[in-house]
Amino acid sequence: MLDSKTIETIKSTVPVLEDKGVEITKRFYKLLFENHPELLNIFNHANQKQGRQQTALANAVYQAAKHIDHLENILPAVKQIAHKHRSLGIKPEQYPIVGENLLLAIQQVVGLQADDPIIQAWAEAYGVIADVFINVEKEMYQAAEEQPGGWKGFRNFVVAKKVKESDVITSFYLQAEDRKPIAAYEPGQYISVKVAIPGAEYTQIRQYSLSDSPNKDYYRMSVKKEVGTEVKPDGIISNYLHDFLNEGDLLPLSAPAGDFTLDTNKDIPVVLIAGGVGLTPMISMLNHLSEQYPHRPVTFIQAAKNSQIHAMREHVVKLTQEKNNVRSFFIYDSPTEEDRKRQLYDKEGHIDLDWLHSVIEDKESDFYFCGPVPFMETVNKALQTWGVKEDNIHFEFFGPAISI
Ligand code: HEM
């Protein structure tokens, strides 16, 4: 327990550190990787370059510090991060390493000595915050290992099948190399893959949502080939997987993780809204609902550029025809002439509230959505304007959580 003076010091210095948050975490990562280059094997180098991880970690530490006397209030956010940490294999003994380098960065950026009462207070607070994470993660490690088909760390899987889903998305069907059972998962969860690119100095880890229903003898992940722009380089890992990972090759995976999951305890209608490759967790939910919950009405809405990069279209059309409880709608923002001629879509342009009203009767539905940030913001705003209950709105951002 922290004493009241330490709590007061922490709370009064949070605004100062928040102000310098990104500068501190940038310095922190520089120090961390200079002192512990082996950690470059687990951190996402692309996120580092784009500064996304800096923002995520800075926010998390300061939000936690604000709630230092009632950390239970931020447990849901801790759990979301802990899922990611568990999936990456973060160990308790790595927390002091992060703590030391974070405190050093604060000292250097703010200009304080190690024995300054502010630094002492932050050292204590970091210890308390780290313990909360370590304890939550300990339970997650146990659960992942002890469940039927579960395992610890990374386990080798074989690419049993590689299927092109569209011009940019390819699915990989992955079976355990040891042929023993594999853990079930909840639709919406993801796996981490560990990739060792020949000639590269460090391994890289990435998360991909599982894109099929659970309880199969394989995991399926569907990966978008990230082609670079002027401001963003090509996705190193997604391009590697597309171009070099072939049937018969091995890929180490950690057990499924994540808290963006389908609530199957409710029986209200479900609306699944996917933008681009945000399709992957949505398809897992769609497949599961259509296989296991034939009485629960499901509306599947998919936004894509046009039919050429519209993955799994035939699958969704088939489900809609075969299953009484499934309806689907496609929205294209740049349909081709052929798309127009064949009327391959239901709406041209972008998703909006008027259109949602026209296809969804019941706002007492459970809404799940995933896609690029602007798409998610539009959908979220539309649902809030409509008055959909907060409890019925579920979404997942790709990449590090921006805030907690
Ligand atoms: C991801 C916070 C400790 C390694 C994250 C994220 C947050 C965060 C907010 C982004 C989560 C997301 O993607 O949704 C924290 C806090 C810590 C802590 C508050 C301490 C109290 C550690 C430690 C390590 C670590 C000890 C291991 C050295 C990572 C890695 C990622 C991550 C590798 C994935 C991000 C990437 O690769 O870009 N953490 N973390 N974290 N964390 Fe931590």
Side-chain angles (χ1 to χ4, degrees):
M1 244 332 259
L2 298 176
D3 62 36
S4 56
K5 191 152 180 286
T6 308
I7 292 174
E8 202 186 301
T9 309
I10 293 299
K11 289 198 166 182
S12 64
T13 48
V14 166
V16 184
L17 299 193
E18 255 178 341
D19 208 35
K20 293 187 182 292
V22 173
E23 205 185 325
I24 292 170
T25 35
K26 266 194 181 145
R27 178 73 59 96
F28 155 68
Y29 277 114
K30 192 169 171 285
L31 291 167
L32 185 73
F33 297 141
E34 271 167 18
N35 296 332
H36 291 275
E38 74 284 358
L39 292 179
L40 284 165
N41 285 307
I42 52 171
F43 278 90
N44 178 333
H45 305 192
N47 284 348
Q48 293 296 320
K49 284 195 191 118
Q50 291 164 25
R52 286 197 292 178
Q53 184 57 24
Q54 280 90 333
T55 319
L57 202 137
N59 277 345
V61 173
Y62 305 129
Q63 292 308 316
K66 273 187 205 163
H67 296 266
I68 193 72
D69 44 352
H70 289 289
L71 281 174
E72 65 280 5
N73 291 349
I74 58 158
L75 261 187
V78 170
K79 282 192 178 150
Q80 189 200 342
I81 300 165
H83 268 286
K84 182 70 72 70
H85 282 164
R86 203 283 291 147
S87 165
L88 287 153
I90 305 303
K91 301 186 183 81
E93 56 270 29
Q94 289 169 327
Y95 277 84
I97 298 176
V98 163
E100 272 162 36
N101 288 284
L102 185 59
L103 288 171
L104 201 56
I106 294 176
Q107 284 173 49
Q108 290 182 1
V109 172
V110 185
L112 295 170
Q113 297 299 316
D115 59 359
D116 191 290
I118 294 178
I119 296 298
Q120 300 289 320
W122 274 89
E124 275 189 63
Y126 176 82
V128 171
I129 297 168
D131 279 348
V132 173
F133 276 88
I134 291 169
N135 288 330
V136 170
E137 284 160 25
K138 190 174 165 204
E139 278 177 29
M140 288 182 176
Y141 278 110
Q142 256 168 6
E145 199 180 339
E146 287 167 9
Q147 66 175 315
W151 69 96
K152 193 178 168 181
F154 284 81
R155 176 173 170 192
N156 268 344
F157 278 66
V158 184
V159 179
K161 203 163 57 153
K162 188 174 170 183
V163 177
K164 191 172 155 107
E165 306 282 6
S166 75
D167 281 2
V168 290
I169 296 181
T170 291
S171 287
F172 296 85
Y173 290 73
L174 305 163
Q175 279 181 325
E177 188 190 23
D178 59 19
R179 292 284 163 177
K180 291 191 180 143
I182 55 173
Y185 59 91
E186 292 183 62
Q189 288 196 302
Y190 57 81
I191 41 156
S192 281
V193 306
K194 193 189 276 184
V195 178
I197 297 184
E201 200 174 353
Y202 300 104
T203 56
Q204 297 239 31
I205 302 180
R206 289 292 184 279
Q207 288 74 42
Y208 294 103
S209 298
L210 291 161
S211 64
D212 206 349
S213 48
N215 300 316
K216 303 248 170 17
D217 68 348
Y218 61 82
Y219 294 141
R220 183 179 71 175
M221 62 176 194
S222 306
V223 179
K224 180 179 175 203
K225 190 175 164 91
E226 295 291 349
V227 179
T229 60
E230 265 176 33
V231 288
K232 212 173 105 190
D234 281 354
I236 299 171
I237 304 305
S238 67
N239 277 278
Y240 176 79
L241 297 174
H242 272 252
D243 298 341
F244 297 104
L245 190 77
N246 293 314
E247 291 176 4
D249 289 346
L250 291 181
L251 189 64
L253 307 188
S254 66
D259 61 354
F260 172 62
T261 53
L262 181 68
D263 186 346
T264 49
N265 292 319
K266 293 185 186 167
D267 59 5
I268 54 175
V270 182
V271 182
L272 306 171
I273 311 175
V277 71
L279 153 90
T280 53
M282 299 291 113
I283 284 282
S284 174
M285 293 182 186
L286 174 68
N287 288 357
H288 188 57
L289 286 163
S290 68
E291 285 163 19
Q292 306 291 334
Y293 299 88
H295 303 297
R296 204 168 165 193
V298 185
T299 306
F300 186 83
I301 300 170
Q302 191 174 358
K305 205 168 163 195
N306 54 44
S307 65
Q308 274 154 5
I309 48 172
H310 180 174
M312 301 187 191
R313 181 192 161 88
E314 280 73 38
H315 171 71
V316 173
V317 169
K318 191 161 173 273
L319 273 190
T320 311
Q321 283 162 353
E322 287 174 359
K323 308 278 180 176
N324 289 333
N325 63 326
V326 177
R327 300 186 306 152
S328 62
F329 299 94
F330 303 135
I331 305 177
Y332 289 174
D333 61 37
S334 317
T336 60
E337 272 316 307
E338 181 71 8
D339 296 342
R340 281 183 212 284
K341 233 187 274 161
R342 294 175 55 204
Q343 295 195 314
L344 292 182
Y345 54 96
D346 302 281
K347 173 177 165 48
E348 181 171 347
H350 296 282
I351 195 161
D352 57 50
L353 183 54
D354 282 346
W355 182 80
L356 270 179
H357 271 146
S358 72
V359 294
I360 316 275
E361 292 121 43
D362 198 352
K363 77 171 178 182
E364 292 295 317
S365 300
D366 229 358
F367 291 83
Y368 293 83
F369 52 99
C370 185
V373 173
F375 167 86
M376 307 262 296
E377 283 170 351
T378 307
V379 175
N380 196 26
K381 204 164 158 223
L383 297 181
Q384 282 179 354
T385 310
W386 192 3
V388 175
K389 279 194 235 131
E390 214 175 294
D391 275 1
N392 292 350
I393 299 182
H394 319 267
F395 56 86
E396 179 168 74
F397 279 110
F398 281 145
I402 305 294
S403 63
I404 66 172

